[in-house]
Structure formats: structure tokens, C-alpha cells
């Protein structure tokens, strides 16, 4: 069973360009979480999605950032008009769709390191 | 508000020495507690978790953690550290809001001296 996949692993963008980060959850998982890790800082929650639904986006910046998890295909975190402050590692995690709630562990992908020049 | 603190930003220990990483949480109800490890350039891997029952939890790689409700703590321990344990360690608490949410602490960076 393949783990959580993220691509690209490294992404370089110039200021003003768009960044698209992809996350394929583990097989059978329908819950996806995105986190951002700034240099020397911990993980900050960004958004929680289920298939075709955004459940909680309280950690997402109000502008330029969006996320989706379509019925088919990976979850996408999109950053428009990137700025240098967006440089960070972005991690995706997934968990299965059971009633266990917090008993279900989040499984993390290897992350995408975004560098904005 | 729910939160997790890890008082030690960075810890250095000698190989073979014992280790204790501190974690304190703030949450009104019974928490679900987790410890994750992140090796350089990698994602997070679950070390152990506590949901209920025995307050001493065993995890992978020889780690254990003890839940102490009176102190709102969930400290991670290992009796003898190996050089490969050098990594970033994150404590996390699961809370129930409108849905189940996991809140991470800021992390503790562990260095191991040969």
C-alpha cells in the first residue's frame, strides 16, 4: 500500500508566478490535510478537505491560497502570485473515512519544498 | 483555546544517554495525544499515540511516553539514544471542535553527540 504521495518534491518559482502542489492520499483515505512548515518553525494547519468539500480552511491565508480535493484525482494546493514569504515546506496528510475520528492517525507525505526567488 | 507547548527548542544528548522530551497541552477534555518524528528533508512519522487506558504508551524505535493528566503533560522518553535518533520531534493533541482536529506543537530539535 503506497503511502501519501506529494509532487513535486521541490518547486522553484519567481515572485508573481503560480505554484501548484499535489497530494495523493493513501489508498482508501478520503480525508486530506495541508500544513505549512516555515524554516525553524513547527507545523501550521492550513486546510482540511474531504472529497469535494472543504471542511476547515481556518489556517489558509485569505488571499492567493486555495485548495481542492476533487472526486477524482489528487488534492491540489494552489498559491497564486507567490511572494518570498511563501517559501516553506508544505506537507499533506491523509486519514481514512471511518467514524473513529481522532483515533485515526494522520499519515504524512514527504512534503513539497517551495522556494520563491 | 487548545494548544501544545514544547518548552525545549533544541536538545543535545550523547549517544547512549537517556532522553526526555517535554510536551504540555491545554485542552478541557480528555485529549488524544501523539508524538511524531521528522528526519531532515522528510515527512512526519508517527512514533506513538495515546487515546485511553494505560498512561504509559510504547511506540516504535524504543520510544515511550507517559500521559499525566494532573500535569497536562505527555513527555517522550527513550532510555538510550542512538545517533540515528537525531531529528525533529513534534507533540500533537487531538481535539474535538466541529470536527476532529490535530494541533501540533512547535517541535524540539534533537542532536546526538557521538
Amino acid at each position: 500500500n503506497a503511502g501519501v504521495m506529494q509532487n513535486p518534491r521541490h518547486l522553484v518559482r519567481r515572485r508573481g508566478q503560480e505554484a501548484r502542489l499535489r497530494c495523493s492520499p493513501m489508498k482508501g483515505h478520503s480525508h486530506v490535510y495541508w500544513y505549512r512548515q516555515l524554516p525553524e518553525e513547527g507545523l501550521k494547519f492550513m486546510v482540511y478537505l474531504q472529497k469535494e468539500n472543504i471542511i476547515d480552511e481556518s489556517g489558509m491565508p485569505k488571499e492567493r491560497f486555495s485548495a481542492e480535493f476533487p472526486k477524482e484525482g489528487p488534492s491540489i494546493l494552489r498559491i497564486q502570485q507567490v511572494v518570498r514569504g511563501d517559501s516553506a515546506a508544505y506537507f499533506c496528510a491523509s486519514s481514512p473515512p471511518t467514524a473513529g475520528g481522532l483515533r485515526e492517525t494522520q499519515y504524512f507525505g514527504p512534503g513539497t519544498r517551495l522556494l520563491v526567488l | 483555546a487548545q494548544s501544545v507547548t514544547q518548552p525545549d527548542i533544541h536538545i543535545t544528548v550523547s549517544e547512549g544517554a537517556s532522553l526526555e522530551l517535554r510536551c504540555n497541552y491545554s485542552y478541557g477534555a480528555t485529549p488524544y495525544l501523539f508524538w511524531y518524528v521528522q528526519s531532515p528533508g522528510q515527512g512526519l512519522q508517527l512514533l506513538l499515540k495515546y487515546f485511553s487506558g494505560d498512561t504509559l504508551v510504547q511506540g516504535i524505535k524504543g520510544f515511550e511516553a507517559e500521559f499525566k493528566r494532573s500535569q497536562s503533560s505527555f513527555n517522550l522518553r527513550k532510555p538510550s539514544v542512538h545517533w540515528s535518533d537525531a531529528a525533529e520531534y513534534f507533540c500533537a493533541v487531538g481535539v474535538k471542535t466541529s470536527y476532529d482536529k490535530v494541533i501540533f506543537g512547535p517541535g524540539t530539535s534533537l542532536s546526538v553527540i557521538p
Side-chain angles (χ1 to χ4, degrees), chain A residues 21-64:
Chain A
L21 287 61
R22 296 175 191 79
C23 169
S24 296
M26 286 181 70
K27 186 176 180 180
H29 288 192
S30 60
H31 297 198
V32 167
Y33 312 79
W34 284 94
Y35 296 87
R36 177 163 63 175
Q37 185 178 35
L38 292 167
E40 308 300 320
E41 296 188 16
L43 283 171
K44 299 297 183 186
F45 167 80
M46 298 183 74
V47 62
Y48 163 40
L49 311 105
Q50 296 178 13
K51 286 282 189 180
E52 300 184 279
N53 284 305
I54 297 175
I55 307 301
D56 181 355
E57 55 182 349
S58 59
M60 289 269 277
K62 298 301 180 190
E63 298 177 349
R64 301 188 297 108

Side-chain angles (χ1 to χ4, degrees), chain B:
Chain B
Q2 307 95 351
S3 65
V4 179
T5 56
Q6 294 178 247
D8 304 305
I9 296 173
H10 189 92
I11 284 183
T12 300
V13 299
S14 298
E15 192 169 16
S18 63
L19 171 70
E20 182 169 31
L21 302 182
R22 295 183 291 164
C23 171
N24 293 94
Y25 66 89
S26 173
Y27 182 49
T30 300
Y32 295 86
L33 296 160
F34 308 84
W35 273 99
Y36 284 85
V37 61
Q38 183 184 29
S39 297
Q42 301 297 314
L44 276 70
Q45 180 184 21
L46 181 70
L47 282 175
L48 49 78
K49 56 187 178 184
Y50 169 79
F51 292 147
S52 63
D54 193 347
T55 56
L56 185 62
V57 181
Q58 302 298 321
I60 63 172
K61 304 185 180 186
F63 285 93
E64 66 178 25
E66 185 172 12
F67 170 54
K68 293 185 177 180
R69 184 186 301 275
S70 61
Q71 298 177 20
S72 297
S73 69
F74 189 56
N75 294 348
L76 182 71
R77 299 194 294 251
K78 186 169 184 177
S80 178
V81 170
H82 187 263
W83 64 266
S84 61
D85 294 324
E88 190 86 16
Y89 291 80
F90 293 95
C91 179
V93 60
V95 301
K96 283 196 166 292
T97 59
S98 55
Y99 66 94
D100 297 331
K101 187 172 183 176
V102 177
I103 299 171
F104 285 84
T108 296
S109 176
L110 173 66
S111 296
V112 180
I113 301 173

